[in-house]
Amino acid sequence: MTRATIWKRILDGAGLAALVLGITATAPAETWINVTQYPLPNGDEYPGSIVEGPDGALWFIVGTFYVGRITTGGVIIQYSVRDCCGSDPGQITPGPDGALWFTLSTGFLGAGTSAIGRITTSGVPTAYELPTGSTAEGITAGPDGALWFTQSPASIGRITTAGVITAEYSVPAGGQLLGITAGPDGALWFTEYQGNQIGRITTAGAITEYPVPTANSEPEAITPGPDGALWFTEYGGNKVGRITTAGVITEYPVLSANSALTGIVTGPDGALWFTEVYGGPERNGALGRITTDGAITEYPARNPGPIAAGPDGALWFTDYFGNKIERAPACGLGFSASFADGTLTMNFNLGIATPATWYAQARTSAGDKQLWSRSIPATVPPGSFTLTWGPGFPDEGMMTIVSGLQAAPHQGLCYETATVNTAGAGPAGR
């Protein structure tokens, strides 16, 4: 069989109807995702928490005194909350009343106490003072039409859309609480950053706590997953965690050593996306993707912070130190490759929130070879499959395979590479 015949066989056989198998643990050699950056108008503003708003835009916290809004086209407006509400806004969430709600840790009307803030989509803010001595942290809309928030000392609060604080529930383990989200079971789930636990509270105030297996994991953000479980990041544990509504925890170590995991969200592609500070191959940070079966890919991104799924089918996240709002497509290939006994095996866990062109090419000492390029529909949730060619694959020596997704020619969305050594496969012209 000649080299030309081999490559024709590869091209003809590269279909999505290939044999479905699992994903190997081989890490890709290089990854890239197309990040678009939107600088904030003023310097050193330190953007933080970000969410999709009810008006088709993204809303985010900015520095000490502002709440920001960015359209999917990149137009930014910032609203001051200093005069009405105080300072140091923390987390933000869409409310059941069509407004945005956020936490303020200090400086309510100059009194030095914490508050819960509300801002309409037209930019009009108000605030509601919390009891003296408490500091609000995370906030989310509850299943009961109210807002629920974490605060220190360790407790969970509830506030109606009319601004009435109806309850505060002490958390037994104590310590600092951070993220909170509504679960698929009608309860609220929260992270105990200092207590090293994941907590659950019913709307009647019954609290259950589940220890995270990794010591000093410092669980931070939490989100409902597409699989009926809750997923969370471990800032100190270097892992992504999953907890069922029955309290069973599974942990997945990320590929980068000693990175600090921060935000997490279910992406439009049906995978979980998380952010890493000081992670990735260059220690500048990473945008991570994990499928519900635990396949992880990391893309270089400069110190991304909180992350949200946008109404445009993309991922939006903040660059705290870079003073930017950033956008990336919700696409991934989960790609790895191996070679043995004359057979090339390519594994994928491919997902994309929009239609795209899927391509692959091989870089060899004889030059680049196009393997395939074909249009595919949106693939949600990601699909796991394996393409195998051989035995009889030719001796190409060291070969790098690049597989990626494009919106259009020369408009790349993401790509991943894997390098295999085919030396000893047999005479190249056989």
Side-chain angles (χ1 to χ4, degrees):
M1 184 179 294
T2 67
R3 178 182 281 132
T5 302
I6 288 288
W7 289 114
K8 183 177 185 302
R9 180 181 175 189
I10 291 175
L11 181 60
D12 291 344
L16 281 175
L19 179 64
V20 176
L21 296 174
I23 295 296
T24 71
T26 305
E30 180 184 350
T31 62
W32 172 86
I33 197 165
N34 190 358
V35 176
T36 304
Q37 299 179 331
Y38 302 95
L40 296 183
N42 303 315
D44 298 329
E45 294 187 284
Y46 306 113
S49 175
I50 186 169
V51 294
E52 178 185 350
D55 57 347
L58 286 300
W59 288 75
F60 56 95
I61 297 300
V62 194
T64 307
F65 300 114
Y66 294 91
V67 171
R69 177 184 186 271
I70 182 170
T71 68
T72 55
V75 178
I76 296 173
I77 301 175
Q78 294 182 183
Y79 301 99
S80 173
V81 298
R82 181 174 187 173
D83 293 338
C84 83
C85 310
S87 63
D88 296 324
Q91 293 190 23
I92 188 169
T93 191
D97 57 347
L100 287 302
W101 290 74
F102 55 96
T103 57
L104 290 139
S105 63
T106 58
F108 179 72
L109 299 180
T113 58
S114 188
I116 300 299
R118 176 185 185 271
I119 187 168
T120 67
T121 54
S122 59
V124 179
T126 53
Y128 305 95
E129 185 176 5
L130 296 180
T132 301
S134 63
T135 300
E137 299 282 359
I139 189 168
T140 193
D144 57 348
L147 286 301
W148 290 73
F149 55 95
T150 57
Q151 57 183 349
S152 299
S155 62
I156 306 294
R158 179 185 185 273
I159 184 171
T160 69
T161 55
V164 179
I165 297 171
T166 60
E168 290 181 292
Y169 303 96
S170 296
V171 176
Q176 184 181 19
L177 312 181
L178 288 182
I180 185 168
T181 192
D185 57 346
L188 289 302
W189 291 76
F190 56 94
T191 58
E192 300 183 30
Y193 183 81
Q194 291 180 339
N196 203 53
Q197 298 188 110
I198 302 300
R200 176 185 185 270
I201 183 170
T202 67
T203 54
I207 294 176
T208 310
E209 296 170 294
Y210 303 96
V212 178
T214 298
N216 302 313
S217 67
E218 298 176 334
E220 183 160 317
I222 188 166
T223 192
D227 56 348
L230 288 301
W231 291 73
F232 59 94
T233 54
E234 299 182 16
Y235 186 88
N238 207 51
K239 297 173 183 176
V240 175
R242 176 185 185 270
I243 183 169
T244 68
T245 54
V248 179
I249 294 177
T250 307
E251 296 175 289
Y252 301 92
V254 300
L255 304 178
S256 301
N258 301 317
S259 60
L261 276 62
T262 52
I264 190 167
V265 72
T266 295
D269 60 334
L272 284 300
W273 290 80
F274 58 95
T275 52
E276 300 177 51
V277 181
Y278 308 122
E282 298 180 356
R283 306 297 297 153
N284 286 327
L287 181 62
R289 171 185 183 260
I290 181 169
T291 62
T292 55
D293 58 2
I296 292 178
T297 308
E298 292 169 305
Y299 299 97
R302 190 169 183 83
N303 291 330
I307 186 170
D312 56 347
L315 302 158
W316 291 77
F317 51 97
T318 54
D319 181 346
Y320 183 81
F321 295 107
N323 199 49
K324 301 178 183 73
I325 306 299
E326 300 186 340
R327 177 189 185 275
C331 75
L333 297 106
F335 175 45
S336 66
S338 61
F339 183 81
D341 299 324
T343 299
L344 174 67
T345 301
M346 301 172 63
N347 302 292
F348 293 88
N349 204 317
L350 188 151
I352 179 70
T354 57
T357 298
W358 176 38
Y359 70 90
Q361 64 182 38
R363 298 171 181 168
T364 72
S365 58
D368 291 350
K369 296 178 173 68
Q370 185 76 32
L371 303 185
W372 69 80
S373 178
R374 60 187 60 203
S375 298
I376 62 171
T379 307
V380 181
S384 173
F385 58 93
T386 294
L387 303 178
T388 302
W389 297 286
F393 194 87
D395 185 345
E396 295 284 357
M398 196 65 70
M399 180 174 67
T400 297
I401 303 170
V402 182
S403 188
L405 295 162
Q406 293 179 327
H410 310 297
Q411 294 183 23
L413 298 172
C414 60
Y415 72 74
E416 300 168 25
T417 74
T419 299
V420 294
N421 187 357
T422 64
R430 186 172 63 191

